[in-house]
Amino acid sequence: MANWTHFHLIRIEFLGYRYHGWMKQPGLKTIHQMIDKTLLFILGHENFKTLGCSRTDAKVSAEDFAFELFTMETFELPKLLQLLNTNLPNDIRAKSISKVNSSFNIIQDVRVKEYHYHFTFGDRPHPFNAPTIHYFSENLDINLMKEAAGIFKGTHCFKRYVSKPSAGTQFDREILISEVVQNKESGLKQAYYFRIASTGFMRYQVRLMMGSLLDVGQGVISLEQLKESLEDSDKPPMFRIAPSSGLRLHRVTFK
């Protein structure tokens, strides 16, 4: 294992619509793959490592994502930022670069992750919205969905809101923020986003939570059934998972 001497925290934003998430996967285009490919071109060697703060699903975007760059050399940070943005694809942008020390842990030092799930319904929007705002053709009771979102806030067992958990998965999670907010900046008549924040999320957790909110909004399940989904963990997982294209990692904060 290399004894890295220099550590940099790099924040990026990206449109995830044409990527299969952050993590490298054989034969698939991912954000991590494009980052490493670009750094290989800039640095001219393979003696570096990158590690992301989180996984993301295919087509999920990020307004604030962070990864750590481990090297044996230091850089002029403004110059490296410029080179990244000159050579990265147009749907990925580096926002900032800062130095961190060897004790910084890009995964364990995350304090809060905040996701926004953007959606609209009613009149069908322009197709150009498809990569970042998911359209639902069904009518939704937004006031009921707002009430349902509040049920998630606090510490609950989210065993029914995870896909393929590992043996040591911790199902009890504290939800710091959970609300449905009108998106007044979208230019759409019926545009909202589900705002959700926690120290961390399990696989598909946010999309399963959003799926349940949609079921409440369409009258498929009641508020009481939603409450029960957090209390009776022995029942099967919640079945509806919201499509990934509406989801964005909005902000990552570190300790």
Side-chain angles (χ1 to χ4, degrees):
M1 185 175 183
N3 294 315
W4 307 111
T5 56
H6 296 280
F7 313 87
H8 298 85
L9 178 66
I10 303 180
R11 290 184 178 271
I12 63 173
E13 56 188 2
F14 57 82
L15 178 65
Y17 200 66
R18 71 187 186 104
Y19 296 96
H20 289 263
W22 162 260
M23 294 290 292
K24 290 179 180 177
Q25 300 175 62
L28 297 175
K29 182 180 290 185
T30 68
I31 301 294
H32 196 181
Q33 175 200 43
M34 296 307 299
I35 291 292
D36 277 8
K37 183 178 179 180
T38 302
L39 284 169
L40 178 62
F41 176 77
I42 292 172
L43 302 179
H45 60 76
E46 297 181 345
N47 193 25
F48 67 89
K49 184 179 82 167
T50 52
L51 184 63
C53 67
S54 178
R55 298 186 179 192
T56 60
D57 298 336
K59 296 188 177 183
V60 171
S61 298
E63 296 166 314
D64 182 34
F65 187 93
F67 70 90
E68 189 171 1
L69 171 63
F70 303 79
T71 67
M72 303 294 244
E73 58 192 306
T74 190
F75 313 97
E76 294 182 20
L77 301 191
K79 181 64 174 178
L80 179 58
L81 185 66
Q82 178 189 9
L83 287 171
L84 281 169
N85 284 323
T86 298
N87 293 284
L88 282 168
N90 289 336
D91 47 10
I92 305 174
R93 184 176 83 95
K95 300 196 299 180
S96 66
I97 303 177
S98 58
K99 291 183 179 181
V100 292
N101 59 41
S102 59
S103 65
F104 177 77
N105 188 304
I106 190 73
I107 297 174
Q108 295 180 7
D109 286 350
V110 170
R111 186 174 65 186
V112 178
K113 291 179 184 176
E114 181 176 330
Y115 282 90
H116 292 178
Y117 191 100
H118 288 256
F119 65 99
T120 183
F121 65 101
D123 296 338
R124 192 174 186 90
H126 195 286
F128 288 1
N129 288 295
T132 56
I133 302 177
H134 195 84
Y135 168 68
F136 295 98
S137 59
E138 309 94 332
N139 191 44
L140 299 173
D141 186 331
I142 290 296
N143 289 330
L144 204 57
M145 290 178 68
K146 288 181 178 181
E147 188 175 351
I151 293 172
F152 288 132
K153 192 172 179 180
T155 302
H156 306 283
C157 177
F158 286 92
K159 186 177 180 180
R160 298 179 66 188
Y161 290 87
V162 59
S163 175
K164 299 178 181 178
S166 61
T169 299
Q170 174 56 253
F171 299 114
D172 289 348
R173 303 282 170 137
E174 181 182 10
I175 303 300
L176 305 171
I177 299 171
S178 181
E179 58 182 354
V180 173
V181 182
Q182 185 175 7
N183 184 356
K184 297 180 180 179
E185 300 177 357
S186 68
L188 301 173
K189 185 186 297 185
Q190 297 276 15
Y192 299 86
Y193 59 90
F194 172 41
R195 182 184 178 213
I196 179 86
S198 178
T199 54
F201 295 95
M202 299 175 288
R203 187 170 185 252
Y204 294 167
Q205 181 181 345
V206 176
R207 290 168 60 197
L208 283 162
M209 293 170 74
M210 180 63 198
S212 291
L213 292 184
L214 291 167
D215 280 345
V216 170
Q218 293 169 16
V220 177
I221 64 173
S222 66
L223 292 175
E224 191 59 38
Q225 286 174 307
L226 186 69
K227 291 177 184 178
E228 289 174 358
S229 72
L230 303 173
E231 298 166 355
D232 191 349
S233 60
D234 291 330
K235 287 187 177 181
M238 302 304 283
F239 62 90
R240 182 168 184 176
I241 180 168
S244 57
S245 57
L247 187 59
R248 308 179 198 176
L249 178 56
H250 177 70
R251 183 183 295 114
V252 179
T253 56
F254 295 94
K255 296 176 183 177

